[in-house]
Amino acid sequence: MRVTAARLLAAAATAGRYPPPAGPEVAIAGRSNVGKSSLLNALLGRRGLARTSRTPGRTRQLHFYLVNERFVIVDLPGYGFAVGPESERRAWGPLVEGYLRGRTVLRGVALLVDVRRGPEREEEELLAFLERRRLPVVLVATKLDKLARHAQRAALAALRDRGAAAAPVVGFSARTGEGREELWRVLRGWLEAEPA
């Protein structure tokens, strides 16, 4: 995919207060420390568009990025190691669930997992939720460059073998760009498909 333009379209901190649709959307979900911002920057070829932080859990809003003036990638707040007041953390569930339940232009979700850990309880729950919603999912195994080549193959095979909600698996490294084109193929298929 050739990205010619990418910009932050809007941010939403309250359920239901999402921007008007600007085209089909795909969402990026995952733990706070799984590398969502790095993946977004690598995917869009824009260093610093999505802010990265050494402290996990800084994103507390849904960020809507307009790409090529044709479609939107939505960065969902991370979960797991989130920082901030407990009341704020509790508010994120309805924010994300409301988006996943009610956004009619949503075409699919890329669920990020650390290739070294695989899906944990939260990821398994989200996969089950998305399956019930009949939303397409791709499991993206991030931080691929942290493993030696043989360990990468073994970790990706283990993810595929466990058949997490029959989701395809893509290995991804924001540092090397490995998996970028493969992930774009999946996302493009969703974005170009006719709405269900």
Side-chain angles (χ1 to χ4, degrees):
M1 166 73 74
R2 185 164 176 260
V3 177
T4 57
R7 62 184 171 88
L8 180 64
L9 178 67
T14 307
R17 298 224 174 145
Y18 315 121
E25 295 176 359
V26 293
I28 309 292
R31 288 182 165 274
S32 300
N33 62 344
V34 79
K36 286 191 295 102
S37 297
S38 297
L39 177 135
L40 273 166
N41 290 333
L43 199 59
L44 299 175
R46 302 292 189 273
R47 186 180 300 226
L49 181 64
R51 291 193 184 142
T52 59
S53 171
R54 290 196 181 278
T55 307
R58 290 287 186 201
T59 302
R60 297 176 181 155
Q61 303 172 319
L62 277 72
H63 290 116
F64 295 75
Y65 296 95
L66 182 62
V67 182
N68 292 349
E69 302 297 322
R70 290 183 33 238
F71 61 89
V72 176
I73 294 181
V74 183
D75 181 12
L76 304 180
Y79 51 86
F81 301 104
V83 297
E86 180 63 29
S87 59
E88 230 173 68
R89 290 198 299 267
R90 278 197 311 267
W92 297 342
L95 175 68
V96 172
E97 190 173 320
Y99 172 79
L100 294 173
R101 281 187 187 280
R103 193 68 168 180
T104 58
V105 292
L106 179 61
R107 297 290 182 262
V109 177
L111 176 57
L112 279 54
V113 297
D114 187 320
V115 70
R116 299 166 297 179
R117 294 181 181 84
E120 297 181 52
R121 182 179 51 83
E122 290 94 342
E123 286 87 357
E124 299 287 3
E125 289 172 0
L126 182 53
L127 281 166
F129 172 82
L130 295 170
E131 189 174 60
R132 287 192 304 273
R133 300 287 309 148
R134 295 199 169 118
L135 275 169
V137 181
V138 60
L139 201 59
V140 183
T142 61
K143 305 186 182 184
L144 203 58
D145 55 279
K146 304 278 188 191
L147 296 178
R149 189 59 76 180
H150 70 281
Q152 290 176 15
R153 285 192 296 271
L156 292 173
L159 283 173
R160 290 183 181 108
D161 286 348
R162 75 187 290 168
V169 176
V170 173
F172 193 93
S173 167
R175 191 176 67 76
T176 67
E178 187 170 352
R180 182 180 186 272
E181 289 309 312
E182 186 180 354
L183 180 55
W184 266 125
R185 275 194 295 277
V186 174
L187 302 183
R188 193 168 49 235
W190 296 343
L191 292 164
E192 293 174 354
E194 288 299 314

